[in-house]
Amino acid sequence: MHGLDRILEAALAEDIHTGDITTLAVVPGKRDAGAILKAKESMVLAGIDVAARVFRLLDPAIRFTPRFSDGARLQSGDILAELQGDAAFLLQGERVSLNLLQRMCGVATLTSLYVEAVAGTRARIVDTRKTTPGLRVLEKYAVRVGGGINHRTGLYDGVLIKENHIAAAGGIAEAVRRARAYIPHTMKIEVETETLGEVGEALAAGADIIMLDNMDLAAMRQAVATIGGRALVEASGGVSLDTVRAIAETGVDIISVGALTHSARAMDISMLLEGY
Amino acid sequence: MHGLDRILEAALAEDIHTGDITTLAVVPGKRDAGAILKAKESMVLAGIDVAARVFRLLDPAIRFTPRFSDGARLQSGDILAELQGDAAFLLQGERVSLNLLQRMCGVATLTSLYVEAVAGTRARIVDTRKTTPGLRVLEKYAVRVGGGINHRTGLYDGVLIKENHIAAAGGIAEAVRRARAYIPHTMKIEVETETLGEVGEALAAGADIIMLDNMDLAAMRQAVATIGGRALVEASGGVSLDTVRAIAETGVDIISVGALTHSARAMDISMLLEGY
Amino acid sequence: MHGLDRILEAALAEDIHTGDITTLAVVPGKRDAGAILKAKESMVLAGIDVAARVFRLLDPAIRFTPRFSDGARLQSGDILAELQGDAAFLLQGERVSLNLLQRMCGVATLTSLYVEAVAGTRARIVDTRKTTPGLRVLEKYAVRVGGGINHRTGLYDGVLIKENHIAAAGGIAEAVRRARAYIPHTMKIEVETETLGEVGEALAAGADIIMLDNMDLAAMRQAVATIGGRALVEASGGVSLDTVRAIAETGVDIISVGALTHSARAMDISMLLEGY
Amino acid sequence: MHGLDRILEAALAEDIHTGDITTLAVVPGKRDAGAILKAKESMVLAGIDVAARVFRLLDPAIRFTPRFSDGARLQSGDILAELQGDAAFLLQGERVSLNLLQRMCGVATLTSLYVEAVAGTRARIVDTRKTTPGLRVLEKYAVRVGGGINHRTGLYDGVLIKENHIAAAGGIAEAVRRARAYIPHTMKIEVETETLGEVGEALAAGADIIMLDNMDLAAMRQAVATIGGRALVEASGGVSLDTVRAIAETGVDIISVGALTHSARAMDISMLLEGY
Amino acid sequence: MHGLDRILEAALAEDIHTGDITTLAVVPGKRDAGAILKAKESMVLAGIDVAARVFRLLDPAIRFTPRFSDGARLQSGDILAELQGDAAFLLQGERVSLNLLQRMCGVATLTSLYVEAVAGTRARIVDTRKTTPGLRVLEKYAVRVGGGINHRTGLYDGVLIKENHIAAAGGIAEAVRRARAYIPHTMKIEVETETLGEVGEALAAGADIIMLDNMDLAAMRQAVATIGGRALVEASGGVSLDTVRAIAETGVDIISVGALTHSARAMDISMLLEGY
Amino acid sequence: MHGLDRILEAALAEDIHTGDITTLAVVPGKRDAGAILKAKESMVLAGIDVAARVFRLLDPAIRFTPRFSDGARLQSGDILAELQGDAAFLLQGERVSLNLLQRMCGVATLTSLYVEAVAGTRARIVDTRKTTPGLRVLEKYAVRVGGGINHRTGLYDGVLIKENHIAAAGGIAEAVRRARAYIPHTMKIEVETETLGEVGEALAAGADIIMLDNMDLAAMRQAVATIGGRALVEASGGVSLDTVRAIAETGVDIISVGALTHSARAMDISMLLEGY
């Protein structure tokens, strides 16, 4: 992941700043130790290279040996990785690497639940921009690990014409026309709709993707039928594990879920030092 | 909050990068609009100035008028703030400000539940280093807004002697002695203990704070009695809303709760644009 | 343009560093002066707000009054803008603002020549990644001002499957399949082809855009016919003002031109100080 | 070149940002490959170490073997360098390294033409501050490789008293006096003159360097005679390959040429991947 | 020291910027050389790893062999370290490493004089915030090397309630109460007092540390007696090598000395190149 | 001073980091106050705008009214400036502004003593590169305020050929020749000499400045006579207030003094808050 080091160095500086005063005071000098990272519940692994990189940045001499790769389904008790190196650096990297790893595994695991819930349908699960500020690239990676795909990364690499844009432009047709004239030919145009009337307008305007925002199942089914494959159909709004299957069965192509990054619980992982 | 702007500018750059291409394409030029931030559930407000600052950084001409201050207890439907200004900047700031505000309100609200659960006891609720990398200062602020207090900010501004330090130093007494000789006289020394025997050693060594790590209630009660006010007593490990009251009633001074920052759910807040 | 200030501040630091020693030595203190920016040849204006921002960053008190907006077609002798303020800051900003403005006008002007050359055809002129390191966002903006559109900004916001990718994946079909499974649904997939056989494969694989790399006019015409509107067609390679019209007349949708940013001559603009 | 890495890392971030999505999608994992950099026209080589450093920053394991050193005169078809390493990183570094290398070779080549044009005279070719913002240090290096020398790097490391300074100070004599009293004794003082009268004043004031700004050949010859070796003489303004020889033959010591960095055409160099 | 590299890279950039022009001009290319760092007077060594790191950052191939460790008491003529490597980098690192090393040795040496002056008393010597902007972490480290301990690092990691805070809060008791309610339980509270009456108030309010600001010896003795071990006692204000012993003999626990970092003279150390 | 803000923001971040915890805890909210900066001894003022800028960066609403300008000779008791604004920001800026101001006044005052000591001779006092890492631009400014002039700023903007360069080049003549061929024509060439023989060589080689390194007075006098105005003469090494007059009387043009920045004592200045 290009740019990862900047995130990790900021996280380490936030935690260590002028130094780990306890270790400096109590255990000065070098002292070799081993450690393991251990899953305390079942989960989808995501971020093992991120965890490794945290320690590498602290001390290139630390050996970090992963036992699983991202995407692996872990059981409680599984050893994710073994570490060997200077105990002071193992202790300094513990919290930052776990804070990131637990969050990434949480996102991947939650994503995998949504993906499983729609298995057998044509629907794909995608994320949103409701991510943790500063960590978006890591969370979107974890979504992919969990079997989802990504929506646009930010406001700069995708076009999503919303209600306010439409009102300001004077209608869907004009909004789409303006976008087509301006954007790279490599980008698709997505239009947010709230009614079947708007769906029709967006289709007529040549939208590549039509978002059905907070529609009920019947409306979604009808929209899918109306669109008839001439645009991708994205369902959005109020999606939960309870509702996602029914939504998928309406025939939509894409279901975007804010909860993937917004409400993912951190997975329980701990680091155990040995032979200090 | 000193340093806030750097966090916010990074978050805005993450989302906007080279530009909000939809707005640039569809709604070029200036266009005045109003907006409101609205609570969709009850919560403790935290971060209203952070949200305001996001818009201020985008465009100093935006008027952000808060209707509540941090610490206020909001009901669903309450208007947190009114905004007026160039619609393009309102749209660009929406996601970043909400992502931060919803998280901070989540932390403050969850903290307030723990604080209420121990009302009437001597125990105070404190946070941990299990925070979101890059956002620690915001999350620790939200803990204070919710009625908690903060543990050390990082490894650099507090001493916590753990099992590994003790083993390496050759015992609690020696570890505390080394720390006292090294650290600023303005810092206290905390020692993590797992048995009543270790509690006794820490007390004899002159620890200022004794952490009871994953002890059961009976052990905690006995530890409190043994210590007898000669050191602060901190309970840690496996604390939940279900167990926190009983822990508080053992007489400990401090209960540290990773969940405050680790598992806080984002509160539901939305921004509505008007008169675009 | 989000991120503009960082570019400008780096450019100013590069030129001024510890201070404009001549002015500090010879003309210390404040001294009000006026200045004008004047076109010395005909051109398409691009970057007037960038030039203004350079002076604003040096001293917010400088008044920069543009007389034309980006996109205007200037004649030799036209006054682009008037400035009024502290002479020391006018002098310090002169070189940096002109270096940027002259380059941006050069790109816009050259682009406009290509756009005019294909007038009446369906072809649109797009840029490439052959831009000045550090100034890509400015140069791509100038291309739009000149009437072109942008290709992807970088490797991160568009998919272009080249010969090497195809070889490594084992064929066009597999390469497109992998891309579709991975990328955001908001992005199109472009495939580079060198033969009509490859054009057929790309079409069958469902490519959204098919690049015809260095094909002759006959091959291009045949490719356009084969594709029949089922994908966008982009001509690329060896495009010059002499050849672009003929290429456009083959019926391609897009013609990408490295020269727009790679070989644009700086336009001749000067700044004249008055009443020092 | 101290500070080079910062320029290169910014250029790589500009192009790659969150990742090379095509390669990530289509060719995940490591894959060893070879590549060559090849000249497509004759040129003076400049920047081979810069190109190497781009790849080194992406992946220290890439082997970059230059076949020529800076200053070499290449023919079309010459192989500049061979590369071996992970294909993903070769692809990611290609555009940035070429964008820089082609520009630097362009500057060196153009400079060498000016240097050759004045061969046998006492005149030396120097550059100006009309450089690409952010790349000045690279372009000034390329000028030296091409046989030129550098003028001051920026406003901070040389004194050039221009018309406006003179007017503000109340005359050349006073301007020079103020400069001499202020600047490091290690710097020379240059005065810009437009008439022979000003040349005389500058000489009398003790200027170390006298710039003849836009004078005709006769005036230049007379100025050289007047100065008689008591100051360096720099010709400036409107210098082209057509006029530079005649200017040199007036006897000036220095000829500054904005075109060296301002109008240099990028040389044609390509990278070819093999055995992907 | 976490964060050291950023300080050193800024210092190197300040001195070298675009390059060591003398060496580039006169001695281009690699040339192996040796060098030594030599003490020209007696001193306490502090910063040997900092000096080594300067050269390591310039060129990882330089071998820096320390002959002494921090804390060593050097005599004039002692060789601190031997260096071997590319002469250009030895020359470029000389000034920055010496500027830092001489300053750090100065602080450590001066601190050691104060520590010796109070030998046999209970008093410990501590530093203040009167440090060199940008170098605080290095100077505070040197204080520890010299046998002192550190006061708080900055405004963020320690509480010092001064006269103005007390006035604003309405009294010492209220100020201490507010602080206790707000700060981490890991921090002590220090109160500045100027009279014995204030000492009594601070003690009653539960201050952990009581600073005696500019009191005479008699008042200090009486304050120590009054406090009777119930709080740490810190003497502050107007401490010099002439007065520190008498102050220590009043029985205070801590004596803070601005001069440690504020007035430390740079120690005389030189670098000698050999075999260039 | 271009670049000043970066220095000041780093200094403020170093001191304040996550916040002034005492003020946040004890005196939350806004509270208007006044303050003065007062000289406690006589000195040359330098840095009053730097001090003002510190407060401006913390809070643009603070009014900072200087009563003296840089270069003024202050007596003990003089009020340098009056401040009015939010007390929290006055307290937060106090230490950083004083740390800088006291140091800058120290440098200017010490410089003025050297300048006065050589009054009536032709000698000018210049500084060296023995400055505080990170603060060179401020210290060199203070030297100018004190009546001195600056030597080169760093290794990049001046040429000083030392013993090692000479040895590597094979002699002074060759070293000077190489430098002249490489450097900007706006820079002079300085050669360090230790014997009269070397002085002769440097003169013959065309050095612009000849440094007499650690020569005795007789040798300096003879060197001055030999050079006879054909180059600037700089005395260097072991200069003190005791010896500087005699050195000046040898007729040298320039005397460089490391002590100006290396050993300057901080001047005693305090800030007094009123009406808190």
Side-chain angles (χ1 to χ4, degrees), chain B residues 23-99:
Chain B
T23 303
L24 286 167
V26 180
V27 206
K30 284 208 166 191
R31 185 175 290 260
D32 202 59
I36 54 168
L37 293 178
K38 187 185 216 165
K40 311 289 280 289
E41 60 182 315
S42 58
M43 68 187 73
V44 174
L45 177 62
I48 193 72
D49 293 340
V50 171
R53 187 71 187 160
V54 168
F55 293 102
R56 169 65 52 98
L57 288 175
L58 281 169
D59 180 7
I62 290 180
R63 287 197 308 284
F64 184 105
T65 312
R67 288 214 194 150
F68 291 93
S69 299
D70 282 355
R73 291 175 178 268
L74 305 179
Q75 302 307 317
S76 180
D78 280 345
I79 309 297
L80 285 63
E82 293 170 280
L83 295 86
Q84 191 73 26
D86 185 347
F89 289 119
L90 294 179
L91 286 168
Q92 283 173 35
E94 173 185 3
R95 193 72 266 135
V96 168
S97 62
L98 285 180
N99 283 351

Side-chain angles (χ1 to χ4, degrees), chain B residues 185-206:
Chain B
H185 63 286
T186 57
M187 281 186 191
K188 294 177 183 171
I189 293 175
E190 177 162 5
V191 176
E192 185 182 283
T193 65
E194 296 184 357
T195 65
L196 291 171
E198 287 172 359
V199 168
E201 285 181 61
L203 195 62

Side-chain angles (χ1 to χ4, degrees), chain C residues 22-23 26-28 31-34 87 91 273-276, chain D residues 160-176 178 191-194 198 201:
Chain C
T22 309
T23 304
V26 179
V27 205
R31 184 174 290 260
D32 202 59
L91 287 168
L273 239 81
E274 297 156 342
Y276 199 90
Chain D
L160 179 47
I161 299 174
K162 297 192 176 184
E163 188 185 7
N164 296 308
H165 299 106
I166 294 167
I172 288 177
E174 174 62 9
V176 172
R178 289 184 188 176
V191 176
E192 185 183 284
T193 64
E194 296 183 358
E198 288 172 358
E201 285 181 61

Side-chain angles (χ1 to χ4, degrees), chain A residues 15 26 103 129 136 178, chain B residues 15 26 129 132 136 178:
Chain A
D15 196 31
V26 178
R103 176 178 301 266
R129 287 166 49 238
R136 185 172 287 172
R178 291 184 188 176
Chain B
D15 196 31
V26 180
R129 287 166 50 236
T132 306
R136 184 172 287 173
R178 290 184 188 175

Side-chain angles (χ1 to χ4, degrees), chain E residues 15 26 129 132 136 178, chain F residues 15 26 103 129 136 178:
Chain E
D15 197 31
V26 178
R129 287 167 49 236
T132 306
R136 185 172 287 173
R178 290 184 187 176
Chain F
D15 197 32
V26 178
R103 176 179 300 266
R129 287 166 50 236
R136 185 171 287 172
R178 291 184 188 175

Side-chain angles (χ1 to χ4, degrees), chain D residues 243-262:
Chain D
T243 61
V244 70
R245 177 82 200 176
I247 293 170
E249 289 175 346
T250 64
V252 298
D253 301 285
I254 304 284
I255 303 174
S256 54
V257 187
L260 299 187
T261 52
H262 194 263

